[in-house]
Amino acid sequence: MSQSQAALNRIWSEILLEELTRYGVEHICIAPGSRSTPLTLEADANPKLQIHTHFDERGLGFYALGLAKATNKPIAIVVTSGTAVANLLPAIAEANLTGEKLVVLTADRPIELVGCGANQAINQNGIYSSHVTTALNLPSPSTSIALNWLLTSVDQVMHQQKTEQGPIHINCPFPEPLYGGDKAEYRNYLESLSSWLNSSMSYTQRVESSLMSSTDSAEFSRYWPRKGLIVVGSVSLTEANKAKQLAEQLGWPIFCDPQSGASSAYKHYDLWLQNAEQKAKLSPCEVIVQFGSRIVSKRLNQWLSEQVSQRNAEFIYVDPRRDRNNQTHLPQRHIVTDIAPWIDGQLAALDEVEHDPNRWLDAQDTHRNQIIEAIEVFVRESANELGDNEPATELKAAHQMDRLPKQADVFIGNSLFVRLVDMVGSADGYNVFSNRGASGIDGLIATSAGLTAGRQKPSITFIGDTSLLYDLNSLALFSRRKIPSVIVVTNNDGGAIFDLLPVPTEQKSTLYQMPHGFGFEHAAKQFNLAYKSVQTMSQYHQRIEQHLEQGEGTLLIEIVTRPDQASEQVKKLSQLIHAL
């Protein structure tokens, strides 16, 4: 095949990538590969695209996920053919559940080389199955196919992503040769797109309306006099603060998940809901309004299910995604709309009418505050074997989240630590991020690196030891960052969360916890990161504050604890709360 095929591959890639920029793509994440050469070189030639690279496709996918969380824009990913494509699946599955807009561009062998023993060729069509919003399987570039077909096909999937959110897959089979060629010989082929090339608009435009419009204020006002409760899930800090304002205006209690970056007088609910007397005080609740999804607390989810199914409370869920968020399949009204404007509408309506807040659940309930104070005292006094020097433990790090520097973003991984923050912590006033869609332990460092790159702000990442071992390669993504960042690894030598689960005792260590005996000092050195193992909470806070204020690059802080320490403390806390 002549060199003209290489030029044709480049032209299709040029048109494809240019159209993506017109749908808001500004960042493109690229892993090395030969079959993806047309896309890689055209990405480099497009001044509208900022290129990010990583040698590990799995980490690259999560890095793109972090960028998407940070920018709220579609992020393109380019990988070569074969297993490189399969390595993106974990990040795609997470994005599908949480709504990040990934545009996955996979290079492929032409169809005649698939299924016949050709090297690095697998069946890539449909490889991501239902984990993507939609998929477009392109043919090999050919002058027999008009370029306006390519544009309308790309527009179709981009329109769908804009409406439904989540990742999309565009599979791009490129015949050889992949290098060389002169695009100038295809001037006539490009002539039909001259108007589009000279514009800044997408080839086709479409105006989408919401599946459901916002509930108008007059209709929702019927709930105001009733006994209601607000639950805040995985939302932005701005949205969480607006929800707190709405709760105050209505006089309703509000439970804030740690992912929201907010807190309230009802904090530590995951623990005090274990107290029968306190749980009974919630029984009169008639209306539950939940903003955002992915609640960490199992006890809160259980109470919500009981309140709706057994006591006939109405359940209203407000979120812009159309996806079902109703794990126990309750009667639910899902208002598909942007959260902040919807709350603004309710606040404006409340301001226009005379309204007495219905403070049916006392924020200063003496008994509940006694329980909260008992939790605080227990955490402060736990594991004081170092005397006056407060020891660094997982429980205390979770409890003292609110002492972290406010200028830093916070990323919380999916180890035991996120459960501890939910139980005893308070992340009030922070921009908090997580991967609580599929809640996997893979790609957490890469996601945090993408967030830091996208937001250009200092960051603090909390991760468990097993999670860090899983994503060790992605420390390379932090080695290139000058923005001061801190990674805190809580090392309890394996999966300590299994101490809180009813796994078989005989196999708990070997088949569940899987102790490894590793430390992370030399891992930090391998990737040119600063390192500090801390023994006391004063050391912990001092090093974080110093690095974020005066440092550059990334500091890895390691807190080493006994494997069963945190689980023992949680069990004692539960016994204490049941007795109060």
PDB file of all heavy atoms in Angstrom, residues 465-466 492-495 508-518 563:
ATOM      1  N   ASP A 465      -2.484   1.102  51.936  1.00  0.00           N
ATOM      2  CA  ASP A 465      -1.249   0.475  51.460  1.00  0.00           C
ATOM      3  C   ASP A 465      -1.493  -0.453  50.265  1.00  0.00           C
ATOM      4  O   ASP A 465      -0.735  -0.429  49.293  1.00  0.00           O
ATOM      5  CB  ASP A 465      -0.546  -0.266  52.597  1.00  0.00           C
ATOM      6  CG  ASP A 465      -1.475  -1.187  53.386  1.00  0.00           C
ATOM      7  OD1 ASP A 465      -2.621  -0.797  53.636  1.00  0.00           O
ATOM      8  OD2 ASP A 465      -1.055  -2.300  53.767  1.00  0.00           O
ATOM      9  N   THR A 466      -2.547  -1.266  50.330  1.00  0.00           N
ATOM     10  CA  THR A 466      -2.817  -2.170  49.205  1.00  0.00           C
ATOM     11  C   THR A 466      -3.164  -1.379  47.954  1.00  0.00           C
ATOM     12  O   THR A 466      -2.734  -1.720  46.842  1.00  0.00           O
ATOM     13  CB  THR A 466      -3.953  -3.142  49.564  1.00  0.00           C
ATOM     14  OG1 THR A 466      -3.617  -3.855  50.762  1.00  0.00           O
ATOM     15  CG2 THR A 466      -4.192  -4.145  48.450  1.00  0.00           C
ATOM     16  N   ASN A 492      -1.380  -0.449  57.107  1.00  0.00           N
ATOM     17  CA  ASN A 492      -1.725  -1.430  58.145  1.00  0.00           C
ATOM     18  C   ASN A 492      -1.438  -2.857  57.679  1.00  0.00           C
ATOM     19  O   ASN A 492      -2.030  -3.810  58.183  1.00  0.00           O
ATOM     20  CB  ASN A 492      -3.195  -1.280  58.571  1.00  0.00           C
ATOM     21  CG  ASN A 492      -4.133  -1.252  57.368  1.00  0.00           C
ATOM     22  OD1 ASN A 492      -3.937  -1.985  56.402  1.00  0.00           O
ATOM     23  ND2 ASN A 492      -5.145  -0.403  57.419  1.00  0.00           N
ATOM     24  N   ASP A 493      -0.538  -2.979  56.699  1.00  0.00           N
ATOM     25  CA  ASP A 493      -0.049  -4.269  56.219  1.00  0.00           C
ATOM     26  C   ASP A 493      -1.160  -5.148  55.657  1.00  0.00           C
ATOM     27  O   ASP A 493      -1.346  -6.293  56.062  1.00  0.00           O
ATOM     28  CB  ASP A 493       0.699  -5.012  57.337  1.00  0.00           C
ATOM     29  CG  ASP A 493       1.526  -6.177  56.799  1.00  0.00           C
ATOM     30  OD1 ASP A 493       1.888  -6.154  55.609  1.00  0.00           O
ATOM     31  OD2 ASP A 493       1.798  -7.113  57.569  1.00  0.00           O
ATOM     32  N   GLY A 494      -1.886  -4.591  54.684  1.00  0.00           N
ATOM     33  CA  GLY A 494      -2.909  -5.393  54.006  1.00  0.00           C
ATOM     34  C   GLY A 494      -4.294  -4.802  54.143  1.00  0.00           C
ATOM     35  O   GLY A 494      -4.476  -3.647  54.497  1.00  0.00           O
ATOM     36  N   GLY A 495      -5.286  -5.616  53.867  1.00  0.00           N
ATOM     37  CA  GLY A 495      -6.669  -5.152  53.860  1.00  0.00           C
ATOM     38  C   GLY A 495      -7.313  -5.204  55.223  1.00  0.00           C
ATOM     39  O   GLY A 495      -8.079  -6.132  55.540  1.00  0.00           O
ATOM     40  N   LYS A 508      -9.024 -15.407  56.777  1.00  0.00           N
ATOM     41  CA  LYS A 508      -9.037 -13.936  56.733  1.00  0.00           C
ATOM     42  C   LYS A 508      -7.674 -13.364  56.354  1.00  0.00           C
ATOM     43  O   LYS A 508      -7.575 -12.489  55.498  1.00  0.00           O
ATOM     44  CB  LYS A 508      -9.480 -13.368  58.084  1.00  0.00           C
ATOM     45  CG  LYS A 508      -9.559 -11.842  58.092  1.00  0.00           C
ATOM     46  CD  LYS A 508     -10.196 -11.304  59.360  1.00  0.00           C
ATOM     47  CE  LYS A 508      -9.349 -11.574  60.581  1.00  0.00           C
ATOM     48  NZ  LYS A 508      -9.902 -10.911  61.789  1.00  0.00           N
ATOM     49  N   SER A 509      -6.623 -13.867  56.962  1.00  0.00           N
ATOM     50  CA  SER A 509      -5.298 -13.309  56.706  1.00  0.00           C
ATOM     51  C   SER A 509      -4.792 -13.666  55.311  1.00  0.00           C
ATOM     52  O   SER A 509      -4.405 -12.790  54.536  1.00  0.00           O
ATOM     53  CB  SER A 509      -4.301 -13.803  57.758  1.00  0.00           C
ATOM     54  OG  SER A 509      -3.009 -13.349  57.469  1.00  0.00           O
ATOM     55  N   THR A 510      -4.844 -14.951  54.959  1.00  0.00           N
ATOM     56  CA  THR A 510      -4.209 -15.393  53.713  1.00  0.00           C
ATOM     57  C   THR A 510      -5.007 -15.038  52.463  1.00  0.00           C
ATOM     58  O   THR A 510      -4.430 -14.745  51.418  1.00  0.00           O
ATOM     59  CB  THR A 510      -3.988 -16.912  53.741  1.00  0.00           C
ATOM     60  OG1 THR A 510      -5.249 -17.565  53.997  1.00  0.00           O
ATOM     61  CG2 THR A 510      -2.984 -17.284  54.818  1.00  0.00           C
ATOM     62  N   LEU A 511      -6.334 -15.081  52.544  1.00  0.00           N
ATOM     63  CA  LEU A 511      -7.155 -14.899  51.344  1.00  0.00           C
ATOM     64  C   LEU A 511      -7.847 -13.539  51.259  1.00  0.00           C
ATOM     65  O   LEU A 511      -8.377 -13.182  50.201  1.00  0.00           O
ATOM     66  CB  LEU A 511      -8.213 -16.002  51.256  1.00  0.00           C
ATOM     67  CG  LEU A 511      -7.693 -17.436  51.143  1.00  0.00           C
ATOM     68  CD1 LEU A 511      -8.839 -18.410  50.977  1.00  0.00           C
ATOM     69  CD2 LEU A 511      -6.709 -17.559  49.977  1.00  0.00           C
ATOM     70  N   TYR A 512      -7.866 -12.763  52.343  1.00  0.00           N
ATOM     71  CA  TYR A 512      -8.559 -11.472  52.330  1.00  0.00           C
ATOM     72  C   TYR A 512      -7.608 -10.310  52.634  1.00  0.00           C
ATOM     73  O   TYR A 512      -7.437  -9.408  51.823  1.00  0.00           O
ATOM     74  CB  TYR A 512      -9.725 -11.479  53.322  1.00  0.00           C
ATOM     75  CG  TYR A 512     -10.845 -12.407  52.911  1.00  0.00           C
ATOM     76  CD1 TYR A 512     -10.865 -13.739  53.320  1.00  0.00           C
ATOM     77  CD2 TYR A 512     -11.886 -11.959  52.096  1.00  0.00           C
ATOM     78  CE1 TYR A 512     -11.880 -14.601  52.939  1.00  0.00           C
ATOM     79  CE2 TYR A 512     -12.904 -12.798  51.710  1.00  0.00           C
ATOM     80  CZ  TYR A 512     -12.904 -14.120  52.132  1.00  0.00           C
ATOM     81  OH  TYR A 512     -13.915 -14.968  51.747  1.00  0.00           O
ATOM     82  N   GLN A 513      -6.996 -10.328  53.808  1.00  0.00           N
ATOM     83  CA  GLN A 513      -6.105  -9.230  54.180  1.00  0.00           C
ATOM     84  C   GLN A 513      -4.799  -9.251  53.380  1.00  0.00           C
ATOM     85  O   GLN A 513      -4.268  -8.207  53.008  1.00  0.00           O
ATOM     86  CB  GLN A 513      -5.799  -9.282  55.674  1.00  0.00           C
ATOM     87  CG  GLN A 513      -7.007  -8.967  56.543  1.00  0.00           C
ATOM     88  CD  GLN A 513      -6.724  -9.152  58.021  1.00  0.00           C
ATOM     89  OE1 GLN A 513      -5.958 -10.029  58.407  1.00  0.00           O
ATOM     90  NE2 GLN A 513      -7.350  -8.334  58.844  1.00  0.00           N
ATOM     91  N   MET A 514      -4.272 -10.410  53.129  1.00  0.00           N
ATOM     92  CA  MET A 514      -3.044 -10.591  52.340  1.00  0.00           C
ATOM     93  C   MET A 514      -1.919  -9.665  52.800  1.00  0.00           C
ATOM     94  O   MET A 514      -1.482  -8.777  52.071  1.00  0.00           O
ATOM     95  CB  MET A 514      -3.321 -10.372  50.848  1.00  0.00           C
ATOM     96  CG  MET A 514      -4.321 -11.353  50.273  1.00  0.00           C
ATOM     97  SD  MET A 514      -4.481 -11.212  48.486  1.00  0.00           S
ATOM     98  CE  MET A 514      -5.831 -12.372  48.202  1.00  0.00           C
ATOM     99  N   PRO A 515      -1.415  -9.841  54.023  1.00  0.00           N
ATOM    100  CA  PRO A 515      -0.321  -8.995  54.506  1.00  0.00           C
ATOM    101  C   PRO A 515       0.901  -9.109  53.597  1.00  0.00           C
ATOM    102  O   PRO A 515       1.203 -10.176  53.064  1.00  0.00           O
ATOM    103  CB  PRO A 515      -0.042  -9.542  55.906  1.00  0.00           C
ATOM    104  CG  PRO A 515      -0.643 -10.911  55.933  1.00  0.00           C
ATOM    105  CD  PRO A 515      -1.805 -10.879  55.017  1.00  0.00           C
ATOM    106  N   HIS A 516       1.592  -7.976  53.407  1.00  0.00           N
ATOM    107  CA  HIS A 516       2.688  -7.921  52.442  1.00  0.00           C
ATOM    108  C   HIS A 516       4.030  -7.582  53.070  1.00  0.00           C
ATOM    109  O   HIS A 516       5.088  -7.912  52.521  1.00  0.00           O
ATOM    110  CB  HIS A 516       2.372  -6.887  51.365  1.00  0.00           C
ATOM    111  CG  HIS A 516       1.925  -5.565  51.915  1.00  0.00           C
ATOM    112  ND1 HIS A 516       2.782  -4.664  52.481  1.00  0.00           N
ATOM    113  CD2 HIS A 516       0.680  -5.027  52.014  1.00  0.00           C
ATOM    114  CE1 HIS A 516       2.100  -3.603  52.891  1.00  0.00           C
ATOM    115  NE2 HIS A 516       0.814  -3.795  52.630  1.00  0.00           N
ATOM    116  N   GLY A 517       4.034  -6.866  54.196  1.00  0.00           N
ATOM    117  CA  GLY A 517       5.281  -6.541  54.877  1.00  0.00           C
ATOM    118  C   GLY A 517       6.109  -5.469  54.213  1.00  0.00           C
ATOM    119  O   GLY A 517       7.289  -5.285  54.537  1.00  0.00           O
ATOM    120  N   PHE A 518       5.522  -4.702  53.272  1.00  0.00           N
ATOM    121  CA  PHE A 518       6.287  -3.693  52.541  1.00  0.00           C
ATOM    122  C   PHE A 518       6.123  -2.309  53.162  1.00  0.00           C
ATOM    123  O   PHE A 518       5.087  -1.979  53.739  1.00  0.00           O
ATOM    124  CB  PHE A 518       5.833  -3.618  51.080  1.00  0.00           C
ATOM    125  CG  PHE A 518       5.965  -4.912  50.327  1.00  0.00           C
ATOM    126  CD1 PHE A 518       4.960  -5.345  49.487  1.00  0.00           C
ATOM    127  CD2 PHE A 518       7.104  -5.691  50.460  1.00  0.00           C
ATOM    128  CE1 PHE A 518       5.074  -6.532  48.795  1.00  0.00           C
ATOM    129  CE2 PHE A 518       7.233  -6.891  49.767  1.00  0.00           C
ATOM    130  CZ  PHE A 518       6.216  -7.318  48.937  1.00  0.00           C
ATOM    131  N   PRO A 563      -1.997  -3.910  62.209  1.00  0.00           N
ATOM    132  CA  PRO A 563      -3.053  -4.312  61.279  1.00  0.00           C
ATOM    133  C   PRO A 563      -4.453  -4.247  61.863  1.00  0.00           C
ATOM    134  O   PRO A 563      -5.405  -3.886  61.166  1.00  0.00           O
ATOM    135  CB  PRO A 563      -2.676  -5.753  60.912  1.00  0.00           C
ATOM    136  CG  PRO A 563      -1.196  -5.806  61.107  1.00  0.00           C
ATOM    137  CD  PRO A 563      -0.911  -4.908  62.267  1.00  0.00           C
TER     138      PRO A 563
END
